[in-house]
Amino acid sequence: MATRHLYVVRHGAADPFGELTSTGEQQVHLLGKRLAHLPIDAVWHSPLSRAASTAQILGEHLPNAPVGEAPELVDHIPHVPATPPPAWAGFFDGFDATEAAAGAHLAESLTTRFAHPTETESHEVLVTHAYQVAWLVRHALDAPADRWLAMSCGNTALTALQFRDGTPPTLLLYNDMSHLPAELRWTGFGPGTRP
């Protein structure tokens, strides 16, 4: 039975213009060293610059894996809850039905393309954004659509999912930053206590 291994990562730390910072580049090189021992078949990335740059650097560490763009990985709101939690109410202000439907369509495209077994064993890196990592985890766990709101993801944090025929998806890792030294962890998060 073939297994599809997905290594889902958020791009490295970026500046307000969406370009990787020097911190982001350091994070990506460390992630590349971590992934280099795996039999990676492909690196897919969001069309946005911070994800494309992350994928290109990872490609330096994974020379046998082609790097390609996957529009389904673009940063977007995957689901707008009918009644947002009070803490999120302001975040969804201004989202109309058309925008919500477009986000839902992109989210469906993401899971349709990547969240299923393949005919042959595969190992793929997906370089994307925090909401898409959360959406893929929520989908793998068959959690309610609103659950993506409760998941945060650090820059270059590693999430590992497996898909095989006849079994539910497996979540092996979520938001793992063990490849980063303490000073490079937790970027992409607001202030707060860190475990």
Side-chain angles (χ1 to χ4, degrees), residues 4 18 100 102 109 120 156 159 174:
R4 184 176 206 171
S109 297
T120 59
T156 70
T159 294
Y174 175 69

Side-chain angles (χ1 to χ4, degrees), residues 33-180:
K33 290 176 183 177
R34 180 176 181 174
L35 296 173
H37 77 281
L38 297 171
I40 303 298
D41 300 306
V43 177
W44 299 103
H45 64 83
S46 156
L48 299 180
S49 178
R50 57 194 180 269
S53 297
T54 296
Q56 293 302 321
I57 294 170
L58 289 178
E60 296 171 17
H61 296 273
L62 307 167
N64 297 321
V67 175
E69 183 178 298
E72 299 87 353
L73 295 170
V74 73
D75 197 7
H76 68 277
I77 303 299
H79 170 75
V80 177
T83 307
W88 283 82
F91 179 79
F92 293 109
D93 278 353
F95 272 88
D96 61 26
T98 302
E99 290 171 311
H105 175 74
L106 271 172
E108 180 66 26
S109 297
L110 173 62
T111 56
T112 298
R113 179 164 180 187
F114 292 109
H116 59 82
T118 49
E119 291 183 17
T120 59
E121 193 85 5
S122 68
H123 295 260
E124 300 162 89
V125 176
L126 308 183
V127 181
T128 189
H129 308 274
Y131 299 159
Q132 286 57 58
V133 175
W135 189 255
L136 286 166
V137 170
R138 181 225 58 85
H139 177 81
L141 297 176
D142 198 23
D146 293 359
R147 291 301 293 149
W148 75 273
L149 294 169
M151 291 183 260
S152 296
C153 184
N155 293 115
T156 70
L158 179 61
T159 294
L161 299 166
Q162 291 179 342
F163 299 89
R164 61 175 62 87
D165 284 326
T167 67
T170 301
L171 174 63
L172 297 175
L173 291 172
Y174 175 69
N175 201 42
D176 186 310
M177 294 179 269
S178 61
H179 52 282
L180 300 175

Side-chain angles (χ1 to χ4, degrees), residues 11-15 18-25 28 49-51 53-55 57:
H11 57 80
D15 66 22
E19 302 300 325
L20 288 185
T21 62
S22 60
T23 293
E25 290 176 359
V28 179
S49 178
R50 57 194 180 269
S53 297
T54 296
I57 294 170

